Amino acid sequence: MNIRLNPLAVLVCGALIMTPALAAEEGTKQDLGLNDYSYFKVYPHIERAHKAMKANDETRALSSFEHAHEMAPESVRLSLWLAEAYRYFGHDKKAQAFLNGELQKQPQNPDLQRALAAIPVPVPRVNTLGDLLALQNKCDAEPGVECRSQVGNYAIKLNQLDIARAQLSDPKFRHTKAAQQLTDNYIQRAIYRQQWAAADQGYALLDSDATLTEAQYQQWFAILLHMRRDQRILDLQNQGVMNSPGMQLAYAQSLAERHAITPLRHYLTSRQPVFTNPAEERNWLRLLATYCQDPGKAVANWTVRYPENQQYLLTTLVPIRIQKGDWNGASAMLSKFPDEEGLDQRLALSLARKDTQSSMQLISKINQTRGLSSQELERASYHLVAMGQGKMATDLLLHYWPFNQAGEWQDSLSMRLYGQLERHPEWLSAQSRARLQNPLPTATQRMAQARLFQGPQNCAIVRNLLGDLSAQYDAESWSHLAQCYPNQPGLALYAAQQAVARDPAPYYQRQVAYLAYDAEDYALAKASWARVPASERPNLKTDSAPEMDDAARGFALLAQGNHAEARDALEKARVTHPDSPEILRQLVYLNERLDNKPKTREYSERVVDDIDNTLTPQQQLSDKQKADRFAFRRIHEDSQRRWTFTYDGSFGLTPDSINSGGGSNGVQQGKNYRSYQQFEAEYRIGKNQLVDGDQLSVYSRVFAGSDDNGSHSFMPVYEPMLGLGVRWKPLRDQVIYLAAEQQIPLSHNGGKSDVMLRASASFFNGGKYSDDWHPTGKGWMAQNLYLDAAHFVKADYQLYTADYRMSWHQKVNNHQTIEPYWHAQYNASTDSPYRDNTLGGVGVRLNSWFGDSRYSAFPHKVSVGLEYQRALSGHNRETDSKNNLFLTLGARW
């Protein structure tokens, strides 16, 4: 065999034989990444370098490797050998600097990265911001992956997130694994410190480098929701992330919680998430039904995946649409179901629409299939009555009577049936009436049956139904029966005692007490009163028999209307129990009714003191106590009043203004005035003068108007008249007055004397609608219907007035109100020719009350107002003007 070797081959072979095994393995030209020529030039220097390292010749080894690297700087293997040589001779920093320089040329080379990472770096001590800034400056001077990571993580520990964020701006560091770990640490610390914008920036950086995990997207989504970064969420969802059905639902719920209705509606209608569980789908349906512009259509267009949500739509969402009056929406939802489903909801919808024909068809269909439930019967009968189909409702109720399975609805169904039959007895056939009156077989049925017949007029039926005195009857039935023995006190008392035996409630105890007095069983009456709780009876000690008898007897007599005897009995009880609030209050009312003014004043003062004694720095009067206190102060003030002086004036501010001569002012017959005024003094003779509960007074008044409708002067001093009269209020609880008055002219300008007979009344002006001061609230509504008729005997002439007024008293302080009002008035006179007019007016008054004291409410009141009137119609009016403006004045003291 003839083998020929060229000189290069001989040199290489020799070098390989002399090179250590490791170099031989790694030092091929392929490993060095060199061509033949470069390898030929470099390899001798490599050989000398390795030999020098074995000989521990630092200078020769390093210079040889450095010279070889200069000749072939592109060889990674040469770079690694040189770095290893630096480290071998203890020059780690030099090796680190060299490798950082090489990585700047090839930043992604894993061998260089591993070599650099293998060099141990002393861990810097960073405990303060100054240490951190020093480390950052050093890293900025010699940037590298490790130092960027160190600065960033130390910055996070010291809560210097801006510095940590700055490290990630280095493009050579940002895309490394160390940067990703730093970013994650940065995000978690930002979340911990609730720096949501920083956390958002961190997630954006992570997302730009790699796809986040589902957990990371969930956390980022929660942060964006918290920050209300709606557009950011929408942009990301449009990119296909944060777009799971659960996230779409959570975003929609967030918009709903913020009441961002417009974007929520757009979002709901533009999304069709496919939910993986029924709860999420049900919540989405709820949002559609609550916030969409057309909820019914939106829900109807949704394809429901889960059967339980089909039921939710039918039993919850459809009734809500009906309740809100969205009948088209409810109908659209119901269209998703077959006709035989949702009969209850279809019936509710037809009843709400007042579609009688459809309602009756559905009721018939339900009756044929399963029958109406008690609640359905309640709803259907109620709506039929409201729609004017009372006969249908009654027939339906009669069909189901006696409502044995109705439970809590039994009473209302029975009362509705009875109420309809009471108003329309012609709807009850003889057969049905006999059916209602005949006792049913069980005690429970008879109790329900008897409750249909309330009132004394039905006592014969009640006795027929409950007269067997079954031990199974409940307390209410026994009490009902007790009321139906008006002339048999023994039986009535027995029935009331049976009620108490089943239910010792205060109502039944009081019933026994009263019936025991009727039956003259005073011991039982006393014992029954003693079992009534203190809050339900007078404040009396149960161990004081005589006083208890007096108090109980007094209240019983009061209930029977024997006022004088009741007062005497309560006066006796008060001797031992002078501070009983109930006794004191009843004595105020009784003495006021019996017109005993000194006693009325005395007891009303005691009541006011009793209320005031509840005041402490920590306890103020309740609204009820304030109202009671004012009421008793008003009684006190009224009990002292003998004289009452009043002034009324109405001044026309326009030339054509007319104060019509109606009965409201009792002017001289045949007269109309531009302005009018009157002064009156009234003296109360007393109460109970002619009949029980009346009041008798005498009075005098002077009144006058302007001359010739105020053509020369609008001041009301023309043709003054004197009136002397007697006024009688025949009823205690109604404001109705009858009066007779002699009218005498006080000038020689044409006035005529006459006798005026007059009747007047005021309705709807009591209680909370009165014009008297209200001690609670910021204001109150007042109203009054005033009716007046006056007959002049000599002139045979009548005046009539009807006036309805409604106003609002707005308090401006603790004794004044501003009172805007409107009223409508009709006036007529039977003079020849007959005259009448109808007018409307609006105005405002300032009212002032004054003169009150601790025990007396305001005795005086002054009002000043301005009123605009417009005549709406009339016959034989003296002027063509329809618009009038008046200044009104009033005073009472």
Side-chain angles (χ1 to χ4, degrees):
M1 179 176 63
N2 186 16
I3 301 176
R4 299 179 62 184
L5 298 175
N6 59 33
L8 178 62
V10 173
L11 179 62
V12 171
C13 289
L16 291 174
I17 292 171
M18 296 175 68
T19 302
L22 178 61
E25 294 175 0
E26 297 180 348
T28 63
K29 64 180 180 180
Q30 292 83 3
D31 180 45
L32 292 171
L34 301 176
N35 57 29
D36 290 343
Y37 177 71
S38 297
Y39 188 77
F40 176 76
K41 290 194 305 176
V42 166
Y43 196 79
H45 298 286
I46 296 174
E47 182 182 19
R48 284 195 296 271
H50 281 294
K51 286 181 178 180
M53 287 187 68
K54 287 183 178 181
N56 207 26
D57 186 349
E58 177 182 347
T59 301
R60 186 179 181 88
L62 292 180
S63 63
S64 297
F65 274 128
E66 288 172 348
H67 189 66
H69 183 264
E70 289 175 358
M71 297 175 67
E74 72 278 6
S75 173
V76 174
R77 177 59 61 193
L78 276 175
S79 299
L80 295 172
W81 278 341
L82 178 55
E84 183 179 355
Y86 284 144
R87 293 192 61 197
Y88 180 79
F89 292 109
H91 303 296
D92 284 359
K93 289 186 178 180
K94 196 169 184 178
Q96 188 178 45
F98 172 72
L99 288 172
N100 279 325
E102 293 302 300
L103 280 170
Q104 290 181 0
K105 302 174 187 177
Q106 302 181 61
Q108 302 301 323
N109 189 282
D111 293 328
L112 294 174
Q113 290 176 348
R114 282 194 292 270
L116 179 61
I119 300 175
V121 179
V123 178
R125 293 183 179 180
V126 178
N127 298 318
T128 66
L129 178 59
D131 297 340
L132 177 63
L133 293 175
L135 181 62
Q136 183 184 26
N137 292 334
K138 184 177 179 181
C139 186
D140 289 342
E142 298 179 10
V145 172
E146 181 65 25
C147 80
R148 291 294 185 198
S149 177
Q150 286 179 344
V151 171
N153 284 296
Y154 277 123
I156 289 173
K157 290 180 180 179
L158 294 176
N159 295 318
Q160 300 297 322
L161 297 185
D162 291 341
I163 295 176
R165 175 74 176 82
Q167 309 312 304
L168 296 170
S169 62
D170 185 343
K172 295 180 180 178
F173 172 65
R174 176 177 167 182
H175 302 289
T176 64
K177 290 185 178 180
Q180 291 183 2
Q181 183 61 49
L182 174 63
T183 306
D184 189 61
N185 294 341
Y186 169 85
I187 291 170
Q188 300 309 315
R189 178 55 62 96
I191 292 173
Y192 173 75
R193 296 185 62 82
Q194 299 186 3
Q195 296 183 9
W196 309 117
D200 176 32
Q201 292 173 351
Y203 271 123
L205 286 173
L206 280 182
D207 188 53
S208 65
D209 289 337
T211 302
L212 304 182
T213 65
E214 182 63 26
Q216 288 174 319
Y217 275 125
Q218 286 282 1
Q219 194 173 50
W220 190 13
F221 176 69
I223 292 170
L224 293 176
L225 273 186
H226 180 79
M227 296 173 65
R228 300 186 178 182
R229 296 287 299 276
D230 294 341
Q231 192 57 50
R232 186 73 171 272
I233 292 173
L234 293 174
D235 291 342
L236 289 168
Q237 288 187 343
N238 290 335
Q239 296 171 22
V241 297
M242 296 187 189
N243 205 32
S244 68
M247 288 181 172
Q248 292 185 48
L249 174 62
Y251 178 60
Q253 289 174 327
S254 173
L255 292 175
E257 290 172 359
R258 290 182 266 145
H259 301 286
I261 304 303
T262 300
L264 174 60
R265 287 173 176 169
H266 176 75
Y267 190 81
L268 290 171
T269 55
S270 63
R271 302 281 168 159
Q272 289 288 329
V274 179
F275 295 105
T276 57
N277 65 76
E280 289 184 344
E281 183 184 56
R282 181 166 61 253
N283 286 331
W284 189 267
L285 285 169
R286 181 184 59 80
L287 291 172
L288 290 174
T290 305
Y291 296 104
C292 282
Q293 188 73 34
D294 189 347
K297 182 179 179 181
V299 174
N301 290 337
W302 179 268
T303 302
V304 181
R305 296 185 61 192
Y306 298 96
E308 53 264 54
N309 288 338
Q310 292 274 9
Q311 190 66 17
Y312 170 73
L313 190 157
L314 185 63
T315 60
T316 301
L317 298 185
V318 171
I320 289 175
R321 289 293 95 208
I322 296 173
Q323 183 181 10
K324 291 184 176 295
D326 181 12
W327 300 333
N328 291 333
S331 181
M333 292 183 189
L334 286 170
S335 66
K336 296 171 67 70
F337 299 90
D339 291 344
E340 63 274 7
E341 291 186 26
L343 293 180
D344 302 348
Q345 291 76 17
R346 297 179 195 277
L347 175 59
L349 178 59
S350 67
L351 291 173
R353 282 178 161 170
K354 299 184 179 180
D355 186 346
T356 304
Q357 183 176 2
S358 175
S359 298
M360 293 309 298
Q361 289 174 351
L362 286 165
I363 290 172
S364 176
K365 191 171 184 178
I366 293 173
N367 271 329
Q368 293 172 3
T369 55
R370 58 168 174 78
L372 289 169
S373 69
S374 301
Q375 188 171 4
E376 291 169 340
L377 180 60
E378 160 71 20
R379 187 187 308 117
S381 61
Y382 171 81
H383 283 285
L384 285 173
V385 172
M387 290 188 294
Q389 301 297 324
K391 180 65 166 61
M392 295 181 183
T394 302
D395 291 342
L396 184 65
L397 290 167
L398 281 171
H399 175 74
Y400 282 92
W401 191 84
F403 319 117
N404 290 334
Q405 307 300 320
E408 61 178 311
W409 306 104
Q410 186 178 56
D411 287 346
S412 62
L413 291 170
S414 299
M415 294 306 297
R416 181 168 297 131
L417 173 61
Y418 179 71
Q420 289 296 308
L421 293 176
E422 185 177 38
R423 287 187 290 272
H424 300 281
E426 68 277 8
W427 292 348
L428 186 63
S429 66
Q431 181 181 2
S432 295
R433 185 170 185 80
R435 177 169 158 247
L436 289 173
Q437 292 185 16
N438 286 334
L440 293 172
T442 69
T444 301
Q445 288 175 318
R446 291 195 299 276
M447 286 189 292
Q449 190 178 5
R451 290 187 179 101
L452 296 175
F453 300 97
Q454 300 291 330
Q457 68 276 14
N458 293 306
C459 274
I461 299 174
V462 173
R463 290 193 296 269
N464 183 48
L465 293 170
L466 305 178
D468 63 328
L469 308 180
S470 170
Q472 299 179 47
Y473 293 152
D474 60 16
E476 183 180 355
S477 297
W478 280 108
S479 178
H480 190 183
L481 185 60
Q483 299 168 25
C484 284
Y485 290 115
N487 300 317
Q488 297 174 284
L491 281 174
L493 178 58
Y494 172 77
Q497 288 177 293
Q498 294 299 314
V500 167
R502 288 154 178 79
D503 183 356
Y507 172 81
Y508 302 128
Q509 296 284 4
R510 286 197 302 270
Q511 187 180 38
V512 169
Y514 289 129
L515 291 173
Y517 274 107
D518 289 341
E520 299 183 354
D521 188 345
Y522 299 115
L524 177 59
K526 172 195 168 183
S528 298
W529 274 115
R531 285 188 287 270
V532 176
S535 60
E536 302 288 338
R537 62 177 172 84
N539 186 21
L540 302 175
K541 296 180 180 178
T542 58
D543 59 350
S544 182
E547 290 75 22
M548 173 55 72
D549 286 341
D550 290 335
R553 182 170 174 271
F555 283 107
L557 291 168
L558 178 61
Q560 297 170 4
N562 297 329
H563 301 108
E565 296 181 28
R567 180 187 61 181
D568 294 339
L570 292 176
E571 285 279 9
K572 293 179 181 179
R574 192 188 65 84
V575 173
T576 305
H577 302 279
D579 297 322
S580 169
E582 185 64 22
I583 290 178
L584 284 174
R585 294 186 181 209
Q586 290 300 331
L587 285 173
V588 172
Y589 298 136
L590 286 168
N591 281 288
E592 190 267 342
R593 184 182 187 97
L594 297 171
D595 203 28
N596 188 328
K597 297 183 184 299
K599 287 294 185 180
T600 302
R601 290 194 295 271
E602 175 189 347
Y603 291 131
S604 58
E605 290 175 3
R606 295 283 297 277
V607 172
V608 171
D609 288 338
D610 182 70
I611 295 173
D612 288 346
N613 286 338
T614 64
L615 278 170
T616 67
Q618 294 78 26
Q619 180 68 42
Q620 300 299 315
L621 296 182
S622 66
D623 284 351
K624 176 65 167 57
Q625 288 175 312
K626 291 177 182 178
D628 288 347
R629 186 177 188 275
F630 184 86
F632 283 102
R633 291 170 68 230
R634 175 58 71 206
I635 292 174
H636 185 273
E637 184 274 329
D638 191 69
S639 69
Q640 300 180 89
R641 182 179 292 275
R642 284 292 190 179
W643 286 97
T644 300
F645 302 93
T646 58
Y647 169 78
D648 292 291
S650 179
F651 299 84
L653 301 181
T654 54
D656 294 330
S657 296
I658 292 180
N659 274 286
S660 298
S664 61
N665 49 36
V667 300
Q668 190 176 3
Q669 60 270 28
K671 299 292 185 180
N672 286 302
Y673 301 105
R674 174 180 173 184
S675 301
Y676 173 81
Q677 66 178 341
Q678 80 164 13
F679 297 87
E680 179 182 291
E682 180 192 57
Y683 178 80
R684 295 183 183 177
I685 298 175
K687 297 182 179 180
N688 309 318
Q689 300 298 304
L690 302 179
V691 295
D692 182 43
D694 73 344
Q695 180 171 289
L696 192 64
S697 306
V698 293
Y699 69 92
S700 66
R701 64 185 183 122
V702 176
F703 56 92
S706 57
D707 65 308
D708 298 325
N709 293 331
S711 59
H712 295 92
S713 172
F714 81 101
M715 291 302 295
V717 295
Y718 184 69
E719 292 187 354
M721 298 286 290
L722 172 65
L724 301 172
V726 60
R727 183 179 289 133
W728 183 45
K729 182 177 179 291
L731 302 176
R732 170 183 171 81
D733 298 319
Q734 294 292 334
V735 183
I736 298 174
Y737 290 98
L738 302 176
E741 177 183 314
Q742 175 67 55
Q743 293 186 349
I744 304 169
L746 298 180
S747 69
H748 303 288
N749 295 329
K752 298 178 181 180
S753 63
D754 207 332
V755 175
M756 181 183 70
L757 304 178
R758 187 175 185 182
S760 59
S762 179
F763 299 107
F764 314 137
N765 191 233
K768 65 179 181 178
Y769 296 109
S770 76
D771 284 293
D772 198 6
W773 180 261
H774 285 45
T776 60
K778 296 180 180 179
W780 71 93
M781 185 71 70
Q783 65 175 347
N784 187 27
L785 173 61
Y786 178 78
L787 304 175
D788 193 285
H791 172 69
F792 294 87
V793 176
K794 292 182 180 180
D796 193 22
Y797 167 86
Q798 292 86 39
L799 297 175
Y800 300 99
T801 290
D803 184 277
Y804 178 79
R805 174 181 55 82
M806 180 176 286
S807 66
W808 171 259
H809 285 269
Q810 179 62 47
K811 293 181 179 179
V812 296
N813 52 45
N814 59 3
H815 68 95
Q816 287 184 317
T817 65
I818 292 292
E819 181 190 9
Y821 66 93
W822 68 267
H823 75 114
Q825 185 179 102
Y826 174 76
N827 297 294
S829 63
T830 61
D831 195 9
S832 181
Y834 173 85
R835 292 175 297 156
D836 70 354
N837 69 348
T838 303
L839 58 88
V842 294
V844 63
R845 282 193 290 252
L846 172 65
N847 303 295
S848 295
W849 288 262
F850 55 95
D852 64 325
S853 65
R854 175 177 180 179
Y855 296 116
S856 291
F858 302 108
H860 314 310
K861 178 183 177 183
V862 174
S863 300
V864 58
L866 191 66
E867 177 176 329
Y868 167 78
Q869 289 183 2
R870 179 172 178 81
L872 305 176
S873 63
H875 298 85
N876 300 314
R877 292 171 50 81
E878 283 75 15
T879 178
D880 293 331
S881 173
K882 290 187 176 182
N883 300 312
N884 305 301
L885 187 63
F886 296 98
L887 172 69
T888 62
L889 300 174
R892 176 183 182 272
W893 62 93

